[in-house]
Amino acid sequence: MPCYSRLDVMTAAAANSNPHTGSLLSIQDLSLDTISSLLALANTLEAEPHRDRMRRLDGRKVALLFYESSTRTRTSFELAAKSLGAMTTLVSDKSSSIEKGESLHDTGVTLRALGAECIILRSNFSGAPELLARCTGLPVLNAGDGMHEHPSQALLDLRTMLKRLRINEALHDKTLSDVTVVITGDVRHSRVARSNAMLLPRLGARVLLCGPPNLLPDQALSLPHVEIVRDFDAALRQANVAMMLRIQRERLAGLDIDAGEYIDGYQLNAARLAAHAPSALVMHPGPMVRGLEIDSACADGPQSAIEDQVTHGLYTRMALLVRALTPEVQP
Ligand code: CP
């Protein structure tokens, strides 16, 4: 287990404790049955009258602990919790004692002492959600940890694909057997790519990872049914879903990317989409850098599901919060 700050140590007690079963630390924690139930619960919550929904987590306390910036994940978890009647508090590294050097362990224990019943954590350290779950014993929802995982994003992406591709059958290992998902861009640094590449093949999908060599992993993440394709146009010709990724400048660590070359080789633009994937669904987890990995015609065009992804995030995260805080409701 790595060290998260100069003050972070995993106590023996924490190392020996299991994370709360309502936690979501990795997409691999969830069986297909559980994912199926979570998506069904998201549908129920979406259809439920506001008054009934507000009773689900009435008065429960949810802490949002964000060590990295976020718009979609933070806001959707916060609105999801509030839509279920819960109280929320936001702790960010910019305005809390984290800035003074307080460790993740001490921050988590402090939130627990203040009555937090669930912590949603975004951290730049891979594995931090697991550490927090073990230290606090609370359900912890991983809102993105370093270059490791973004499991709630993979769930909302799955919900988006199923709805937009009109796949209504129950989830099993062949549900997406006719679907090829091309994930293009800065795959090497992307927790979204990793969580999707771990989830989608379990449902039978082919996943093609595409991008310049220095932004791709050396191997196809060592995952089954995941391949690396260097030629974006060739990959697009096979795509039912074109999932674009931002170049994560904050994680490049000295790598130099020539924007012109990148655009020539890997930008999803109107001409490329029309020529190679005229019926593929266009997805992007956000934030987008328009004009670099994607142009506005694709981002805002009829094939785009990018706004849908954000909306699906709200209901997917409601379902995760209900699972975390009401174990009697079995997703
Ligand atoms: N997709 C995603 O994680 O976006 P944010 O960084 O805005 O939360």
Side-chain angles (χ1 to χ4, degrees), residues 69-74 122 150 153 285-287:
S69 57
S70 165
T71 298
R72 282 147 287 270
T73 312
R74 185 185 71 68
R122 170 164 290 191
H150 197 346
Q153 179 75 42

PDB file of all heavy atoms in Angstrom, residues 69-74 122 150 153 285-287, ligand 1:
ATOM      1  N   SER A  69      -9.942  18.507  -8.708  1.00  0.00           N
ATOM      2  CA  SER A  69     -11.094  19.248  -9.220  1.00  0.00           C
ATOM      3  C   SER A  69     -12.067  18.325  -9.952  1.00  0.00           C
ATOM      4  O   SER A  69     -11.693  17.252 -10.429  1.00  0.00           O
ATOM      5  CB  SER A  69     -10.616  20.355 -10.162  1.00  0.00           C
ATOM      6  OG  SER A  69      -9.854  19.776 -11.186  1.00  0.00           O
ATOM      7  N   SER A  70     -13.319  18.749  -9.981  1.00  0.00           N
ATOM      8  CA  SER A  70     -14.377  17.964 -10.621  1.00  0.00           C
ATOM      9  C   SER A  70     -15.580  18.864 -10.825  1.00  0.00           C
ATOM     10  O   SER A  70     -15.888  19.696  -9.966  1.00  0.00           O
ATOM     11  CB  SER A  70     -14.764  16.782  -9.716  1.00  0.00           C
ATOM     12  OG  SER A  70     -15.983  16.219 -10.133  1.00  0.00           O
ATOM     13  N   THR A  71     -16.253  18.702 -11.933  1.00  0.00           N
ATOM     14  CA  THR A  71     -17.543  19.362 -12.130  1.00  0.00           C
ATOM     15  C   THR A  71     -18.653  18.313 -12.104  1.00  0.00           C
ATOM     16  O   THR A  71     -19.547  18.338 -11.253  1.00  0.00           O
ATOM     17  CB  THR A  71     -17.569  20.127 -13.474  1.00  0.00           C
ATOM     18  OG1 THR A  71     -16.559  21.129 -13.428  1.00  0.00           O
ATOM     19  CG2 THR A  71     -18.925  20.781 -13.716  1.00  0.00           C
ATOM     20  N   ARG A  72     -18.591  17.351 -13.049  1.00  0.00           N
ATOM     21  CA  ARG A  72     -19.672  16.378 -13.205  1.00  0.00           C
ATOM     22  C   ARG A  72     -19.811  15.444 -11.999  1.00  0.00           C
ATOM     23  O   ARG A  72     -20.915  15.268 -11.464  1.00  0.00           O
ATOM     24  CB  ARG A  72     -19.436  15.517 -14.458  1.00  0.00           C
ATOM     25  CG  ARG A  72     -19.789  16.167 -15.758  1.00  0.00           C
ATOM     26  CD  ARG A  72     -18.847  15.697 -16.858  1.00  0.00           C
ATOM     27  NE  ARG A  72     -17.564  16.334 -16.602  1.00  0.00           N
ATOM     28  CZ  ARG A  72     -17.241  17.532 -17.107  1.00  0.00           C
ATOM     29  NH1 ARG A  72     -18.032  18.102 -17.960  1.00  0.00           N
ATOM     30  NH2 ARG A  72     -16.106  18.125 -16.780  1.00  0.00           N
ATOM     31  N   THR A  73     -18.732  14.831 -11.591  1.00  0.00           N
ATOM     32  CA  THR A  73     -18.818  13.789 -10.562  1.00  0.00           C
ATOM     33  C   THR A  73     -19.253  14.396  -9.230  1.00  0.00           C
ATOM     34  O   THR A  73     -20.146  13.869  -8.559  1.00  0.00           O
ATOM     35  CB  THR A  73     -17.460  13.070 -10.420  1.00  0.00           C
ATOM     36  OG1 THR A  73     -16.997  12.725 -11.722  1.00  0.00           O
ATOM     37  CG2 THR A  73     -17.580  11.826  -9.569  1.00  0.00           C
ATOM     38  N   ARG A  74     -18.615  15.503  -8.868  1.00  0.00           N
ATOM     39  CA  ARG A  74     -18.953  16.119  -7.590  1.00  0.00           C
ATOM     40  C   ARG A  74     -20.405  16.603  -7.569  1.00  0.00           C
ATOM     41  O   ARG A  74     -21.162  16.307  -6.653  1.00  0.00           O
ATOM     42  CB  ARG A  74     -18.014  17.293  -7.295  1.00  0.00           C
ATOM     43  CG  ARG A  74     -18.246  17.893  -5.921  1.00  0.00           C
ATOM     44  CD  ARG A  74     -17.400  19.117  -5.683  1.00  0.00           C
ATOM     45  NE  ARG A  74     -17.807  20.283  -6.440  1.00  0.00           N
ATOM     46  CZ  ARG A  74     -18.932  20.965  -6.252  1.00  0.00           C
ATOM     47  NH1 ARG A  74     -19.810  20.594  -5.347  1.00  0.00           N
ATOM     48  NH2 ARG A  74     -19.207  22.023  -6.979  1.00  0.00           N
ATOM     49  N   ARG A 122     -12.611  11.650  -4.195  1.00  0.00           N
ATOM     50  CA  ARG A 122     -11.759  11.789  -5.388  1.00  0.00           C
ATOM     51  C   ARG A 122     -10.359  12.126  -4.906  1.00  0.00           C
ATOM     52  O   ARG A 122     -10.178  13.059  -4.116  1.00  0.00           O
ATOM     53  CB  ARG A 122     -12.267  12.867  -6.334  1.00  0.00           C
ATOM     54  CG  ARG A 122     -11.248  13.160  -7.437  1.00  0.00           C
ATOM     55  CD  ARG A 122     -11.786  13.905  -8.595  1.00  0.00           C
ATOM     56  NE  ARG A 122     -12.692  13.100  -9.387  1.00  0.00           N
ATOM     57  CZ  ARG A 122     -13.154  13.459 -10.594  1.00  0.00           C
ATOM     58  NH1 ARG A 122     -12.796  14.616 -11.120  1.00  0.00           N
ATOM     59  NH2 ARG A 122     -13.982  12.677 -11.245  1.00  0.00           N
ATOM     60  N   HIS A 150     -12.375   4.745 -12.118  1.00  0.00           N
ATOM     61  CA  HIS A 150     -13.498   5.681 -11.975  1.00  0.00           C
ATOM     62  C   HIS A 150     -14.763   4.833 -12.159  1.00  0.00           C
ATOM     63  O   HIS A 150     -15.447   4.910 -13.184  1.00  0.00           O
ATOM     64  CB  HIS A 150     -13.380   6.777 -13.034  1.00  0.00           C
ATOM     65  CG  HIS A 150     -14.203   8.003 -12.761  1.00  0.00           C
ATOM     66  ND1 HIS A 150     -15.223   8.057 -11.824  1.00  0.00           N
ATOM     67  CD2 HIS A 150     -14.168   9.240 -13.330  1.00  0.00           C
ATOM     68  CE1 HIS A 150     -15.754   9.269 -11.829  1.00  0.00           C
ATOM     69  NE2 HIS A 150     -15.132  10.003 -12.724  1.00  0.00           N
ATOM     70  N   GLN A 153     -18.231   6.174 -13.185  1.00  0.00           N
ATOM     71  CA  GLN A 153     -18.256   6.627 -14.581  1.00  0.00           C
ATOM     72  C   GLN A 153     -18.519   5.432 -15.505  1.00  0.00           C
ATOM     73  O   GLN A 153     -19.304   5.529 -16.453  1.00  0.00           O
ATOM     74  CB  GLN A 153     -16.918   7.286 -14.940  1.00  0.00           C
ATOM     75  CG  GLN A 153     -16.830   7.775 -16.376  1.00  0.00           C
ATOM     76  CD  GLN A 153     -17.631   9.049 -16.641  1.00  0.00           C
ATOM     77  OE1 GLN A 153     -17.631   9.966 -15.833  1.00  0.00           O
ATOM     78  NE2 GLN A 153     -18.313   9.107 -17.788  1.00  0.00           N
ATOM     79  N   PRO A 285     -16.307  11.285 -21.424  1.00  0.00           N
ATOM     80  CA  PRO A 285     -16.647  11.437 -20.000  1.00  0.00           C
ATOM     81  C   PRO A 285     -16.617  12.886 -19.529  1.00  0.00           C
ATOM     82  O   PRO A 285     -17.177  13.211 -18.476  1.00  0.00           O
ATOM     83  CB  PRO A 285     -15.563  10.618 -19.292  1.00  0.00           C
ATOM     84  CG  PRO A 285     -14.398  10.623 -20.253  1.00  0.00           C
ATOM     85  CD  PRO A 285     -14.998  10.641 -21.626  1.00  0.00           C
ATOM     86  N   GLY A 286     -15.957  13.773 -20.325  1.00  0.00           N
ATOM     87  CA  GLY A 286     -15.762  15.151 -19.889  1.00  0.00           C
ATOM     88  C   GLY A 286     -14.674  15.199 -18.825  1.00  0.00           C
ATOM     89  O   GLY A 286     -14.376  14.196 -18.195  1.00  0.00           O
ATOM     90  N   PRO A 287     -14.070  16.359 -18.632  1.00  0.00           N
ATOM     91  CA  PRO A 287     -14.269  17.571 -19.423  1.00  0.00           C
ATOM     92  C   PRO A 287     -13.638  17.438 -20.811  1.00  0.00           C
ATOM     93  O   PRO A 287     -12.594  16.806 -20.956  1.00  0.00           O
ATOM     94  CB  PRO A 287     -13.544  18.643 -18.596  1.00  0.00           C
ATOM     95  CG  PRO A 287     -12.545  17.893 -17.769  1.00  0.00           C
ATOM     96  CD  PRO A 287     -13.104  16.536 -17.525  1.00  0.00           C
TER      97      PRO A 287
HETATM   98  N1   CP B   1     -16.089  12.606 -15.954  1.00  0.00           N
HETATM   99  C1   CP B   1     -15.608  13.239 -14.871  1.00  0.00           C
HETATM  100  O1   CP B   1     -15.095  12.613 -13.950  1.00  0.00           O
HETATM  101  O2   CP B   1     -15.754  14.599 -14.903  1.00  0.00           O
HETATM  102  P1   CP B   1     -15.330  15.556 -13.703  1.00  0.00           P
HETATM  103  O3   CP B   1     -13.836  15.529 -13.592  1.00  0.00           O
HETATM  104  O4   CP B   1     -15.852  16.927 -14.081  1.00  0.00           O
HETATM  105  O5   CP B   1     -15.972  15.037 -12.460  1.00  0.00           O
END
